[in-house]
Amino acid sequence: MLRARQAIKDLREYRPPLGDRVGMRLDFNENTVGASPRVLQCLREITLEQLARYPERESVELALARFFRVRPEELLLTNGIDEAIHVICETYLDPQVQAIIVVPTFGVYELFVGATGAKAIPVLAKQDFAFPTEAVLAALNDRTRLIAIANPNNPTGQVASRVDLLRIANSAPQAAILVDEAYFEFYGETLLDQIGRLPNLFVARTFSKAYGLAGLRIGALMGPAEQISAVRRVASPYNVNSVALACLPAVLQDQNFVQRYVDEVHQGRERLQDELRSLGIPYWTRPFLNEMRRRGVLVRDRSHDLGCEGCVRITVGAAEHMDQLLSAIRKTIAEIGSPKEVSA
Ligand SMILES: Cc1ncc(COP(=O)(O)O)c(C=O)c1O
C-alpha cells in the first residue's frame, strides 16, 4: 500500500476555506479594493500565443531586481511568499535539524518546516505579542537551520526592530534567517538593503497584499547570490505563470495606486482602534464571530493559535469596507453585549 511519509502524516492540516466565503471578506488579509486598473489593461492584451508558451521570466526578474535594488542573482521570483517559504525549507531543512518560529504567526512556516521532517521550535511572543528577541537567541543551537520571522507579523501586527533582526542573523551563521516582509508597504521599514551583506539573510516580498494581486500568485525571495542559486535549484523554472509575469511591470509602475491604498488602510486602522477602545473590547469571542458573519462580515478566528486565546484577526481595508465593519461591530456588541459580559 502506498503511504505518505511520516512527516506528512504528522502535519497539522492547514486548510483555509477555498470556497463559500460569502460576505465582506475581512478574514484573509486580502486587499479589499483589488489591484491597479492597469492590470485589467494587461490582461486584455494577453494573446493566446503567450498562453501557449511556457512562462519567460528573465526580463521581469531583472526589472524586479532593479526595483528592489538588488543584483539579479540575488532574487528569485516565486509563486507568492508561500513558495518562497517552501523552497527555503526544502533547501536547508531535513529531519536532523530545527527551525525556530516566533508564534503566533503565519501558519505556513510550520507547515513547510514540518513537511521536511525538521523540528519546529515555537518561541512564544512576549506580553502584548512583542517580539521575543532574547528568547529567540536562547533557542538557538547548532542544529538551528532556519529562523522564520514575519515583519510586521500576522496576526499580531507587531514588528521586530532592525537591530534585533541583525543581531539574530549575526548570532546564527548556521541558519537561514527569513524576514517575511509581506506587509512591508504598510510599515515602511525593510532589511532589503542588507541583502548580500549578511551571508544568511533572506527577505521575502509579495504582490498579494498592498498590490492586491493575491490571485495571480507572485512574490520574490531575495538573499545572498550563492544561497539564491541553491534555492533556485528547488524551484520549478515555471513557478510563476505568464499572466502574472505580463502584469507585473505595469503594476510596479503604478505606485500611486499602492500609496493610496496604504494611506486608506492606515486611516482605517486608526478608526478601528478608536472604535474598539471606545467600545472597551480587549478580546473577542465565538458569539462575536457568529454574529458578525450573520451581518455579512467575515473575520478570522485565531483563538486556537498559541497565545491568542479569545482573539480574532480583522483585515483593515478601504474606507467603505471599514464603514461596514464598524457598523457591524456596533450592532453586534449591542446584540451580544461587550466581551466582558459573554464567556470567552
Ligand atoms: C506574513 C505572511 N507571509 C506570507 C503570506 C502569503 O503571501 P503570498 O500570497 O505571497 O503567498 C501571508 C498571507 O497572509 C502572510 O500573512
Side-chain angles (χ1 to χ4, degrees):
M1 187 185 152
L2 181 63
R3 287 182 207 282
R5 284 188 289 119
Q6 193 56 44
I8 304 299
K9 288 193 200 160
D10 293 343
L11 286 180
R12 242 197 317 153
E13 278 195 46
Y14 177 74
R15 278 218 187 164
L18 299 176
D20 198 25
R21 285 171 62 212
V22 182
M24 188 173 68
R25 300 164 178 210
L26 301 182
D27 51 349
F28 274 87
N29 283 359
E30 292 156 332
N31 186 310
T32 68
V33 298
S36 156
R38 295 191 194 182
V39 172
L40 281 183
Q41 190 55 39
C42 291
L43 292 177
R44 280 191 205 102
E45 287 166 12
I46 284 177
T47 62
L48 292 176
E49 287 74 22
Q50 234 173 315
L51 295 180
R53 290 184 222 127
Y54 281 99
E56 293 174 357
R57 59 192 294 148
E58 213 167 79
S59 66
V60 179
E61 221 157 37
L62 283 174
L64 199 55
R66 263 198 306 277
F67 180 75
F68 287 135
R69 302 210 173 113
V70 297
R71 291 189 289 138
E73 54 281 23
E74 294 171 329
L75 180 144
L76 173 71
L77 270 173
T78 60
N79 197 277
I81 291 184
D82 283 357
E83 196 207 12
I85 300 165
H86 194 183
V87 289
I88 277 232
C89 289
E90 288 298 315
T91 307
Y92 299 106
L93 302 183
D94 63 35
Q96 279 74 51
V97 302
Q98 302 183 346
I100 292 176
I101 302 174
V102 178
V103 295
T105 193
F106 183 48
V108 168
Y109 306 133
E110 190 187 335
L111 175 75
F112 287 136
V113 167
T116 67
K119 187 163 186 211
I121 308 289
V123 172
L124 194 57
K126 294 199 282 197
Q127 227 186 347
D128 294 333
F129 301 122
F131 187 75
T133 310
E134 300 305 326
V136 170
L137 292 171
L140 290 176
N141 62 42
D142 57 9
R143 289 200 288 151
T144 310
R145 287 291 175 284
L146 172 67
I147 305 171
I149 300 167
N151 200 42
N153 188 33
N154 164 15
T156 63
Q158 288 288 12
V159 294
S161 75
R162 180 183 177 87
V163 170
D164 285 350
L165 291 170
L166 294 177
R167 204 173 139 208
I168 290 169
N170 282 315
S171 306
Q174 77 285 15
I177 315 301
L178 174 62
V179 181
D180 175 346
E181 297 187 350
Y183 302 99
F184 158 76
E185 292 81 4
F186 304 102
Y187 174 46
E189 287 192 26
T190 179
L191 281 193
L192 261 190
D193 56 295
Q194 294 296 312
I195 290 299
R197 296 191 179 185
L198 288 167
N200 57 341
L201 176 75
F202 294 84
V203 171
R205 289 281 186 89
T206 182
F207 294 91
S208 297
K209 305 295 179 185
Y211 287 82
L213 289 173
L216 279 190
R217 311 302 303 131
I218 186 161
L221 178 66
M222 286 155 281
E226 193 190 339
Q227 301 301 333
I228 288 292
S229 115
V231 175
R232 200 180 278 279
R233 293 179 189 195
V234 181
S236 158
Y238 309 123
N239 60 347
V240 175
N241 69 76
S242 340
V243 179
L245 291 174
C247 295
L248 198 66
V251 161
L252 287 177
Q253 279 165 19
D254 197 358
Q255 289 299 317
N256 280 341
F257 170 86
V258 177
Q259 198 48 53
R260 268 199 310 274
Y261 186 67
V262 167
D263 290 345
E264 202 165 347
V265 167
H266 283 157
Q267 286 162 21
R269 188 168 59 189
E270 293 283 309
R271 284 176 64 197
L272 182 58
Q273 283 171 343
D274 286 350
E275 187 79 20
L276 295 181
R277 224 173 280 129
S278 76
L279 287 167
I281 303 178
Y283 59 84
W284 305 84
T285 62
R286 171 61 62 180
F288 174 82
L289 261 140
N290 293 343
E291 189 60 26
M292 290 290 280
R293 176 180 276 270
R294 205 177 66 74
R295 295 180 187 284
V297 179
L298 308 181
V299 295
R300 185 87 183 265
D301 181 2
R302 296 296 299 244
S303 57
H304 302 296
D305 285 36
L306 260 184
C308 286
E309 293 73 23
C311 288
V312 164
R313 188 191 67 196
I314 303 176
T315 303
V316 177
E320 60 179 294
H321 303 123
M322 293 300 96
D323 290 340
Q324 276 183 63
L325 168 72
L326 294 175
S327 145
I329 290 179
R330 282 179 213 122
K331 289 181 188 147
T332 296
I333 295 300
E335 181 82 22
I336 66 172
S338 79
K340 291 177 203 105
E341 296 162 34
V342 293
S343 61

